Amino acid sequence: MTRIASSAVIDKRAVVEDGATIGENVKIGPLAYVGADVVLGDNVTLMHHAIVEGVTELGAGCTVFPMAVIGGAPQSVRHDGSATRLIVGRNCTFREGVTVNTGSSHGGAETILGDDNLLLANSHVGHDCRLGSNIILSNNVMIGGHATVHDRVILSGGAAIHQFVQIGRQAFVGGLAGVVNDIIPYAMVVDNPAFMGGLNVVGMQRAGIGRDEIHVVRKAYQAIFSGGQVLENAKAAREEFADQSAAVREILDFILDRDGDRALTTPGSRRRGSTA
């Protein structure tokens, strides 16, 4: 049974399938489509021609622009067709042509996005991805299935993220980068194949990290990625630097404690290849 709040404003040309749940002050524009298993939180706006389908929940304050398809079926030949989910937090914006798929039957069955994310035109989030909060996907960014993107990451235009890749918090990925390996927190990554061009110092400053701590992070970064033995260097750096900086601990924990089979993106890996 469809549940529509009395304060919702739905254009008569929109299609809302029986079974959908529509929250308070929701606005649904002409020729928009809402599927039967969709839940729209309070103050959600669907502009004209926006599509929300599948077993999908949009948190309060989300906005979906024209021609975006949120909650489409996973693009996986292994998916068995069973119902899977997409869960989106609060105040996310999906610009024109964005696609976000539900989970897959073979990958955990859920795609999850946090709060306050901005997905610009024609960007894509594949099945079973996990995105944190305050993330920016610029135009034409492509994230393959099962990837994990932590809070406050910025992905510049046309960046392509390989499936199963993990991107640490506050990392910056340059335009047209081809990311095939994991990225540590606070890294700045460029080129295709992607390599690390240094630290995202601007992002660190925006995160409230002071000059003295940034200096410690730089020293730890140099120690970790000098000599080519990244894992061994990281273990040694944990003994030397971990007590001096929360950011360094975060980087070291990411390197040493992460799950998954991807290697690390390293400085100059475009030329030398990753050694982690």
Side-chain angles (χ1 to χ4, degrees):
M1 179 178 177
T2 304
R3 296 176 293 279
I4 301 176
S6 60
S7 59
V9 178
I10 303 175
D11 190 279
K12 63 182 180 181
R13 292 164 290 180
V15 175
V16 178
E17 299 284 5
D18 186 33
T21 299
I22 312 297
E24 297 288 348
N25 301 308
V26 168
K27 297 179 181 179
I28 301 178
L31 303 178
Y33 174 83
V34 180
D37 297 311
V38 168
V39 176
L40 301 182
D42 297 343
N43 302 303
V44 166
T45 297
L46 306 187
M47 296 186 182
H48 63 88
H49 296 87
I51 297 173
V52 184
E53 59 185 3
V55 184
T56 296
E57 180 177 343
L58 294 188
C62 289
T63 301
V64 183
F65 276 69
M67 314 310 294
V69 181
I70 310 303
Q75 299 178 88
S76 170
V77 296
R78 296 172 58 195
H79 180 58
D80 63 10
S82 59
T84 56
R85 296 171 56 85
L86 167 64
I87 301 172
V88 177
R90 302 168 61 90
N91 301 318
C92 292
T93 298
F94 304 91
R95 291 301 303 252
E96 297 84 352
V98 167
T99 53
V100 182
N101 295 158
T102 60
S104 70
S105 57
H106 57 86
E110 285 186 336
T111 302
I112 300 175
L113 280 66
D115 302 329
D116 300 297
N117 294 312
L118 174 59
L119 286 74
L120 297 185
N122 299 307
S123 55
H124 170 74
V125 178
H127 55 85
D128 305 299
C129 285
R130 300 289 189 273
L131 272 63
S133 299
N134 299 106
I135 294 166
I136 298 175
L137 274 59
S138 298
N139 293 0
N140 302 303
V141 164
M142 301 168 286
I143 303 180
H146 316 279
T148 300
V149 182
H150 291 278
D151 295 349
R152 297 188 180 278
V153 167
I154 296 177
L155 303 178
S156 300
I161 312 302
H162 195 282
Q163 62 181 352
F164 294 102
V165 158
Q166 301 178 54
I167 302 180
R169 187 166 69 94
Q170 207 85 47
F172 177 90
V173 177
L176 301 178
V179 178
V180 298
N181 292 320
D182 293 349
I183 299 174
I184 65 168
Y186 307 106
M188 183 171 62
V189 170
V190 295
D191 220 324
N192 183 9
F195 67 96
M196 208 160 29
L199 291 168
N200 181 16
V201 174
V202 172
M204 295 170 71
Q205 293 170 338
R206 290 174 179 173
I209 298 175
R211 179 180 298 180
D212 290 344
E213 185 172 1
I214 290 174
H215 180 66
V216 174
V217 175
R218 280 175 163 157
K219 288 178 63 178
Y221 173 86
Q222 292 170 357
I224 293 166
F225 292 104
S226 63
Q229 302 299 319
V230 173
L231 295 180
E232 290 76 5
N233 291 345
K235 293 174 183 177
R238 181 175 267 176
E239 296 293 327
E240 182 175 358
F241 297 104
D243 291 339
Q244 302 179 42
S245 164
V248 170
R249 289 195 297 274
E250 185 176 356
I251 291 170
L252 293 171
D253 289 347
F254 182 92
I255 294 171
L256 296 172
D257 301 336
R258 66 199 167 99
D259 296 324
D261 298 325
R262 309 304 300 180
L264 281 175
T265 301
T266 58
S269 61
R270 177 176 65 89
R271 296 179 293 275
R272 299 194 306 268
S274 173
T275 59

